Structures are given as structure tokens and as C-alpha cells.
Amino acid sequence: MVIGADPLYHLCYNDSGNFTRYSPYDQSLNKLLGDLYYKTPSNGFGMGSVGQYQAQTFGLSMCRGDVSSKDCMDCVVNASAEIRKRCPNNKAATIWYDECQLKYSNTDFFGQIDNRVKLYMWNLNNVSDPTSFNLATKNLLSNLSVTAYTDPKLMYAAGDTELKGSQKIYGLVQCTRDLSPDECKICLESAISELPSCCDGKQGGRVISGSCNIRYEIYPFTSVS
């Protein structure tokens, strides 16, 4: 994790209301972000709630399944600082990096699939045989999804599959661990179903939401690929 690296995306939710500096909500949010900093690096995921009534805030942070504890900590620290800069008065916000994501809200969102925003990214280069490539990609990500949602302790899987010749496709799927296995399954299947509309025949692509994300490339992009 490069300190100061730009996030993939961030979103400040204007419909959740605002707060002022040094207010009870501000104090709750600061404590929550500190708690997530301590909770997340040990196993790659942290969640919690701080405060009461109008000052209560809920949040979670998640690191990519292959990221080391140190890089996870660095990413969460960076995400916490950056989201406060970019959404200084919003009671709800989400920020995504390559190696982690962080979100908080003044309403309890735990266990709910968050599709308020979806981020689509793709490689500009096309493959030579999109039909067989798309099918292989879908099969890889679908198989990885089964591995992920049947392991509630991780809800993460990465792997690869061989194409004709020596080429491979590398894939990754992950859900936030506040979801149940069934919710993770629904989230990942929904993301995979959107690949044809964003990434048809592309050499790489991602679909990222508030609750899960998928990615594939023709090159290794995780530490265990």
C-alpha cells in the first residue's frame, strides 16, 4: 500500500444528513474509525458501532484477502483519513482502494446488500476470442464465488484457469463479512451477471459494490496468484 495513493472511488451520501465538527456524531465517528484501525488488520475485516441515538454511527472496513496485516493497516489508516477529507460533514460515506474499503453510516446497514453504487472498471484491450474467453471468465468467477460464500470466515477466493495455449485468466471474488452466505452468493452472482454489459471481451474487468467485488485479469494481481 502506497501511503497517499488515490482511491479507486469514494461516495459521500447526501441523503443521510450532515454533522458538524466536534459534535457528538463527530466524536462517535472518530472513535469508530479508531476501532476499525485496531480490529481490521488481524483478520482483514472489522465492524462496529459507536454512540447512541442521533450520535450513533455504524461502520466496517475490509482488506483484500491476500493483503498482509501491515499493508491492511496502512490502507485502513489511509482510507480513514482520506474519507474524512473528502466527505467532511456527511454522516454516511464509502471509499474503495485496491487493497481495502471502508464505509460508515448513521443507520445500521449490517447484513444488507449495498448496491447504492456500483463501480465498473475494465482493461481497454480486447481478447481475440471473446466468446470462449467470456465463458471461461464467468466459470472461473462462479466457481470462486462458491468457495467464497461457503466459507463465512473469509468470504474471499482467488484463483486462475487455463485457456488454450499458455494463457491464463486470474480471478478474485470477495464479500464483506457482515453478509450471510446467502447474501454473499446473491451479491456475487449479481456482479458476475453484469460483466457482459461492462467488460465484454475485455482483457480485464471489475465490478465493485458496497458489499462485494469481483475482478479478473490476464495477469496475476494478488500475492497468491
Side-chain angles (χ1 to χ4, degrees):
M1 178 68 191
V2 179
I3 299 299
D6 289 333
L8 298 174
Y9 194 70
H10 77 280
L11 190 65
C12 313
Y13 298 106
N14 295 320
D15 58 353
S16 297
N18 296 325
F19 65 92
T20 56
R21 194 176 182 188
Y22 305 123
S23 66
Y25 190 88
D26 186 36
Q27 295 171 19
S28 294
L29 181 57
N30 285 333
K31 185 175 188 309
L32 173 69
L33 295 177
D35 289 348
L36 294 178
Y37 162 77
Y38 285 109
K39 289 179 179 178
T40 309
S42 60
N43 67 1
F45 181 77
M47 59 185 283
S49 175
V50 173
Q52 292 182 316
Y53 309 114
Q54 298 301 312
Q56 189 170 18
T57 181
F58 304 82
L60 65 77
S61 53
M62 175 181 74
C63 291
R64 203 175 68 202
D66 65 306
V67 171
S68 70
S69 293
K70 181 184 184 305
D71 287 345
C72 180
M73 180 181 293
D74 290 344
C75 193
V76 172
V77 169
N78 205 34
S80 298
E82 199 63 29
I83 197 64
R84 293 304 309 266
K85 291 178 187 175
R86 294 176 182 239
C87 307
N89 305 115
N90 299 85
K91 286 188 174 181
T94 306
I95 191 166
W96 294 266
Y97 285 84
D98 233 359
E99 297 182 336
C100 72
Q101 79 173 77
L102 184 147
K103 60 187 286 192
Y104 56 82
S105 176
N106 60 330
T107 58
D108 184 355
F109 60 82
F110 300 145
Q112 302 173 37
I113 298 174
D114 179 4
N115 285 324
R116 283 188 289 180
V117 64
K118 283 192 176 178
L119 175 62
Y120 305 93
M121 305 175 72
W122 56 89
N123 190 308
L124 295 178
N125 297 314
N126 296 313
V127 298
S128 57
D129 184 358
T131 301
S132 62
F133 184 88
N134 290 346
L135 180 59
T137 299
K138 180 181 178 182
N139 289 339
L140 171 63
L141 294 174
S142 295
N143 289 335
L144 291 175
S145 294
V146 174
T147 302
Y149 68 70
T150 54
D151 185 359
K153 290 185 177 180
L154 287 180
M155 290 196 170
Y156 164 85
D160 61 73
T161 188
E162 289 190 7
L163 298 174
K164 290 180 180 179
S166 59
Q167 189 179 28
K168 288 185 176 183
I169 306 173
Y170 299 85
L172 174 153
V173 303
Q174 188 169 18
C175 292
T176 57
R177 283 180 242 163
D178 61 310
L179 298 186
S180 69
D182 285 343
E183 290 161 343
C184 179
K185 179 177 185 287
I186 291 169
C187 192
L188 292 174
E189 287 179 346
S190 174
I192 293 170
S193 73
E194 296 188 46
L195 285 176
S197 60
C198 75
C199 312
D200 184 29
K202 298 298 183 182
Q203 291 183 1
R206 303 193 211 186
V207 179
I208 302 170
S209 73
S211 293
C212 68
N213 67 89
I214 62 171
R215 182 180 181 184
Y216 74 91
E217 305 286 355
I218 60 169
Y219 58 85
F221 59 90
T222 71
S223 63
V224 294
S225 293

